[in-house]
Amino acid sequence: MENNIYNFLKVRDDHEPFKFSKAEDKFVSDSGNSEWCDVKEITKTDLRARIEPWLTSLFQSEHLSLLVGSGLSVAVQHLAGADADNGMNEKLELSAFNNEVENAAKESAVSSGRGIPNIEDRIRTLANLISGLKIIKDSSDYTELKDKIDSLEVSFENIISKFAQNIAKIESSILKATPEKREEAFKGASR
């Protein structure tokens, strides 16, 4: 064991934390058998297989909350007579795969019946692209992908951050509305 530093993992339906430590290029379980891992030595791949699906679903849930919250905030904002842009129609400017993401977002919008892609289509498409590229990033056939994936991940974080900032501006504009308009907006949104 290296320095007796322990890691703990508890995701999904784990009843108890899974305890493990690093030993050279592998990990050694100190928890005994768990429902998902019945060997003493585990690899990064084993850990990824357990952690990534949980993180993905959590991340998607947070995006859903952000998008739903955006729609509600915009509705109240309009009722309050305030003016702000949530960025729903904003196009992405990516350093790689920009046209591919836009085309896939258009297909998504058409299949959902909207016809015109919005930020939700673009975010979902970009998240799926990043997930897909991560699968092959370590392949020797695609050595140039790592930098593109890193760039896409930075862009993704910036897009989410900017979208959240736009929502914060909307909520701020609601707070700055006259008390009468604000009251009217909240009553209208609750109907």
Side-chain angles (χ1 to χ4, degrees):
M1 307 283 164
E2 292 180 1
N3 302 329
N4 290 332
I5 296 175
Y6 294 98
N7 298 286
F8 295 90
L9 175 64
K10 186 172 186 313
V11 298
R12 290 193 261 172
D13 55 351
D14 290 343
H15 296 287
E16 297 291 327
F18 182 73
K19 183 179 174 185
F20 61 97
S21 56
K22 187 168 174 128
E24 299 175 40
D25 62 339
K26 60 186 174 252
F27 297 93
V28 179
S29 167
D30 293 325
S31 295
N33 292 347
S34 73
E35 292 178 7
W36 63 274
C37 183
D38 59 358
V39 294
K40 186 122 176 108
E41 294 182 2
I42 52 179
T43 64
K44 284 183 182 180
T45 303
D46 296 326
L47 291 172
R48 273 195 190 118
R50 185 67 180 168
I51 297 168
E52 284 185 356
W54 175 76
L55 282 176
T56 299
S57 67
L58 177 66
F59 199 64
Q60 289 170 346
S61 168
E62 302 236 348
H63 289 162
L64 177 63
S65 298
L66 182 61
L67 292 166
V68 169
S70 169
L72 182 59
S73 295
V74 169
V76 173
Q77 169 232 0
H78 283 295
L79 290 171
D83 188 32
D85 179 18
N86 67 352
M88 284 297 285
N89 296 319
E90 190 169 320
K91 290 190 177 188
L92 307 182
E93 296 296 328
L94 305 172
S95 61
F97 305 109
N98 197 61
N99 292 335
E100 292 83 356
V101 169
E102 186 62 22
N103 291 336
K106 285 178 186 174
E107 288 177 22
S108 174
V110 168
S111 69
S112 71
R114 275 192 318 281
I116 300 172
N118 63 21
I119 195 72
E120 176 184 353
D121 300 304
R122 292 175 177 107
I123 288 172
R124 184 178 49 256
T125 301
L126 181 55
N128 288 339
L129 174 63
I130 291 170
S131 293
L133 291 174
K134 281 183 171 182
I135 292 170
I136 60 172
K137 80 172 184 178
D138 293 329
S139 169
S140 60
D141 295 333
Y142 303 100
T143 54
E144 74 281 357
L145 278 182
K146 184 179 177 343
D147 290 339
K148 288 181 180 180
I149 293 169
D150 291 345
S151 173
L152 288 173
E153 287 179 320
V154 168
S155 294
F156 189 82
E157 290 173 19
N158 291 337
I159 290 161
I160 295 296
S161 177
K162 184 176 179 183
F163 189 56
Q165 289 171 4
N166 287 340
I167 294 168
K169 285 180 190 174
I170 289 169
E171 291 173 353
S172 175
S173 71
I174 293 167
L175 290 173
K176 292 177 183 173
T178 65
E180 298 80 24
K181 281 287 201 183
R182 195 170 46 241
E183 183 68 26
E184 183 181 321
F186 285 119
K187 282 182 182 176
S190 65
R191 288 183 213 153

